[in-house]
Amino acid sequence: MKHKLTTTLITLFISGAILAGAAELPLGGWLQIPILGFIFWQLAKLPAISLKTHLTASASFALGYFVCGLWWIHISLHDVGGMNPILSAAAVFLLSSYTTLFFVLACLPIFYYRKSPILGLILGASWVLAEYVRNVLFTGFPWLGLAETQVHGPFASIAPYLGGLGCTFFVVLSSWQLLQLRKNVRGLLVFALSLTVLSQLPGLWAFTKPTGEPLSIELIQGNFAQHLVFSREGMFRQIQFYENAMIHSQAQLVVSPETSLPWPEMSLPIGTLDRLQDLANENHSTLLFGVIGYHENPPDGREFSNRALGLSDHNPPYRYDKSHLVPFGEFIPPGFRWFVNAFSVPLSDFARGPTNQPLFRIARQNEEPLYAAITICYEDVFGGELATRLRNSDQEANLLINMTNLAWFGASQAPTQQLRLSQLRSLETGLPALRATNTGVTAVLGPDGRVLAELPQFTQATLSAKLQAYSGKTPYVRWGNAPILSLACLLLVLGFIRQKRF
């Protein structure tokens, strides 16, 4: 019996790793469903007498999933940060263990409601609530959820209605239903056909529409190694490159990555901002680039921020300060100064920007201006926060802009993971998106999340394209996560009542 359990635990760990790896494949969103169904089967056939066994088994699957999906954090800690390899490996394991807890909780209905005829619905609801809590607890870390893989899967069309959590619900429900039909060939065929047809129906309705003439854009990818930013010479070389690239651009909108000018705004080389402003005035163009923001006499003592600075034709500069900061990377949680001291990299303790900052105005000659919602790197993970910003803004957003620097994570799957998150944000909002990154993936996305153009990773290049702006709001932007969370709570209450009754 003990040997059989050990085999099951190893199988679940490997299956979790395969589930994470499948996300990188072209049909990852479709493959996700049978793989998760197999994992549910392994959990469902465990003896019903031991909660401890069930918790251990579900933790084994989740740990395999997150260790495989988040291993690239080791690159930032060890390769870039100079942390002891044992400590960096331990940090990856501890973060994976933390995120594992949420998947363990999500799988509890398999143990408690295993005889319920609506277990698939209860399991989907449990997963939605667990993922929502992971999204908000301790500032949230929802990276590597099930939803983003669905940008290449059957439930992409659910995102404009119910967001990423809605996609998660249907992935879990479908995986459970597939498990129930595993011995019924005819049922499996009907299920596959129904899934294909029904998953496409929501996509027949569009909630946003093109507005104005296409906008000429340029996205600059500098491909600077992260260690260069830790020397004065490397910083000024990077500043010079991006300044020259922007000055020689003829596009209406030019976007450079997060901290592309890695120096405090008020201390940039003399004349840099004046030259860029003159360019914007002369070409009637708009420039957007990353700098280090500075705040005089801040109440919390944090003088600097991660800032996007926009310059446009004869308009005051636009400033967006990153609001959702990365724990340890951009702010130091209380009691963890010792952990940061293990790095040889000077990490930041940035000021947090307000959540209600105005949208970025993109001026156009002889046409109405466009408005863009900016996210800086990690902020693109939080679809609910972006939907709230768009819903509460005084202006209507026409496109999304994400500015990122993933040089910290080297040649790993981190860039493609964040690309899928950006694609999910476009699906949820019905808006096209621009991704300007230091090392990749720099890309132009359509309102349906499709990649319209992209640069190869780890190349120094400029992506020139035409972007069609859109107007309108999807149901998800209008209502956020309230509908799917309400449904999840209702299903859990219904499941509890049925369990008590029978």
Side-chain angles (χ1 to χ4, degrees):
M1 183 68 180
K2 186 176 181 181
H3 173 74
K4 187 176 180 180
L5 177 60
T6 301
T7 302
T8 300
L9 295 179
I10 294 173
T11 300
L12 283 167
F13 184 89
I14 294 172
S15 299
I18 292 173
L19 181 65
E24 301 301 315
L25 301 176
L27 295 176
W30 291 88
L31 293 172
Q32 189 178 47
I33 294 172
I35 296 171
L36 193 60
F38 174 79
I39 291 168
F40 289 160
W41 175 57
Q42 292 289 312
L43 294 175
K45 70 178 187 177
L46 291 170
I49 56 176
S50 173
L51 175 60
K52 180 180 178 181
T53 299
H54 177 83
L55 293 175
T56 303
S58 53
S60 181
F61 133 64
L63 195 60
Y65 178 78
F66 284 111
V67 168
C68 176
L70 298 175
W71 71 270
W72 42 264
I73 293 174
H74 166 80
I75 297 175
S76 65
L77 298 178
H78 174 260
D79 297 5
V80 178
M83 179 180 278
N84 179 284
I86 296 177
L87 279 178
S88 64
V92 173
F93 180 80
L94 288 174
L95 178 59
S96 299
S97 299
Y98 167 71
T99 49
T100 287
L101 294 176
F102 297 94
F103 276 22
V104 169
L105 292 174
C107 290
L108 277 177
I110 298 176
F111 180 82
Y112 284 112
Y113 298 94
R114 63 175 61 217
K115 294 183 180 180
S116 173
I118 60 169
L119 177 52
L121 293 169
I122 297 171
L123 187 60
S126 173
W127 212 285
V128 164
L129 292 178
E131 285 291 76
Y132 177 75
V133 173
R134 183 160 75 103
N135 187 82
V136 298
L137 190 63
F138 305 130
T139 76
F141 186 71
W143 198 285
L144 209 64
L146 300 179
E148 50 261 37
T149 308
Q150 284 303 304
V151 300
H152 303 305
F155 298 118
S157 58
I158 299 296
Y161 297 86
L162 296 173
L165 291 179
C167 297
T168 299
F169 176 83
F170 283 99
V171 167
V172 173
L173 175 60
S174 299
S175 298
W176 182 259
Q177 291 304 116
L178 184 64
L179 169 60
Q180 306 313 301
L181 295 170
R182 66 187 184 279
K183 296 180 180 179
N184 184 344
V185 176
R186 180 178 296 179
L188 282 173
L189 291 175
V190 173
F191 171 79
L193 180 61
S194 301
L195 181 64
T196 302
V197 173
L198 293 176
S199 65
Q200 300 310 308
L201 284 179
L204 297 177
W205 291 270
F207 300 97
T208 59
K209 60 183 180 180
T211 179
E213 294 296 320
L215 186 72
S216 64
I217 60 99
E218 285 191 5
L219 308 177
I220 304 171
Q221 181 174 287
N223 192 38
F224 287 92
Q226 190 60 33
H227 68 83
L228 292 176
V229 182
F230 305 134
S231 70
R232 188 181 182 90
E233 179 184 352
M235 287 183 184
F236 281 101
R237 195 167 79 187
Q238 183 169 322
I239 291 171
Q240 185 178 40
F241 167 80
Y242 280 109
E243 181 186 350
N244 288 337
M246 285 187 281
I247 285 176
H248 287 92
S249 173
Q250 298 298 314
Q252 291 172 282
L253 173 63
V254 186
V255 187
S256 297
E258 171 189 20
T259 57
S260 48
L261 277 58
W263 199 256
E265 178 185 341
M266 75 294 185
S267 301
L268 285 168
I270 295 174
T272 297
L273 295 183
D274 290 335
R275 287 190 293 272
L276 293 175
Q277 182 64 65
D278 290 342
L279 168 71
N281 296 341
E282 181 181 342
N283 291 349
H284 307 289
S285 61
T286 301
L287 310 177
L288 184 68
F289 49 93
V291 298
I292 305 299
Y294 177 73
H295 305 265
E296 290 188 11
N297 304 316
D300 60 358
R302 293 181 171 91
E303 297 180 317
F304 300 102
S305 60
N306 190 347
R307 173 172 291 174
L309 181 62
L311 304 176
S312 59
D313 184 11
H314 296 96
N315 285 304
Y318 169 88
R319 294 176 175 86
Y320 172 83
D321 290 323
K322 188 175 182 181
S323 177
H324 203 127
L325 303 178
V326 182
F328 302 105
E330 293 174 318
F331 79 96
I332 303 170
F336 281 92
R337 175 65 64 176
W338 64 271
F339 180 79
V340 174
N341 289 340
F343 285 86
S344 60
V345 173
L347 295 182
S348 306
D349 199 9
F350 280 142
R352 193 182 304 273
T355 58
N356 60 344
Q357 299 174 74
L359 300 181
F360 177 46
R361 184 178 184 273
I362 303 170
R364 299 185 295 174
Q365 269 194 309
N366 305 320
E367 285 193 80
E368 291 295 315
L370 299 174
Y371 290 92
I374 294 175
T375 55
I376 299 179
C377 195
Y378 183 65
E379 290 182 311
D380 215 21
V381 184
F382 300 91
E385 292 183 2
L386 178 59
T388 300
R389 283 173 54 194
L390 298 185
R391 182 167 60 251
N392 296 335
S393 175
D394 293 333
Q395 305 91 19
E396 182 178 79
N398 305 114
L399 67 148
L400 310 176
I401 299 176
N402 179 258
M403 306 162 67
T404 290
N405 174 25
L406 292 177
W408 288 91
F409 306 115
S412 68
Q413 71 266 48
T416 52
Q417 286 177 356
Q418 196 188 20
L419 173 64
R420 289 194 294 274
L421 285 161
S422 290
Q423 291 176 278
L424 183 58
R425 300 293 86 85
S426 281
L427 279 165
E428 290 172 340
T429 61
L431 297 177
L434 302 176
R435 285 182 46 77
T437 74
N438 176 25
T439 55
V441 178
T442 296
V444 179
L445 308 179
D448 56 358
R450 288 187 304 114
V451 177
L452 304 178
E454 66 179 303
L455 290 175
Q457 292 188 56
F458 307 108
T459 58
Q460 191 172 90
T462 297
L463 178 60
S464 300
K466 290 281 188 177
L467 179 76
Q468 177 62 64
Y470 276 66
S471 63
K473 293 181 180 179
T474 62
Y476 182 68
V477 169
R478 294 183 183 278
W479 301 103
N481 288 318
I484 188 62
L485 291 175
S486 299
L487 175 63
C489 291
L490 181 64
L491 287 172
L492 287 180
V493 171
L494 178 61
F496 179 77
I497 291 174
R498 288 182 62 93
Q499 186 82 346
K500 287 292 184 181
R501 183 175 298 174
F502 298 105

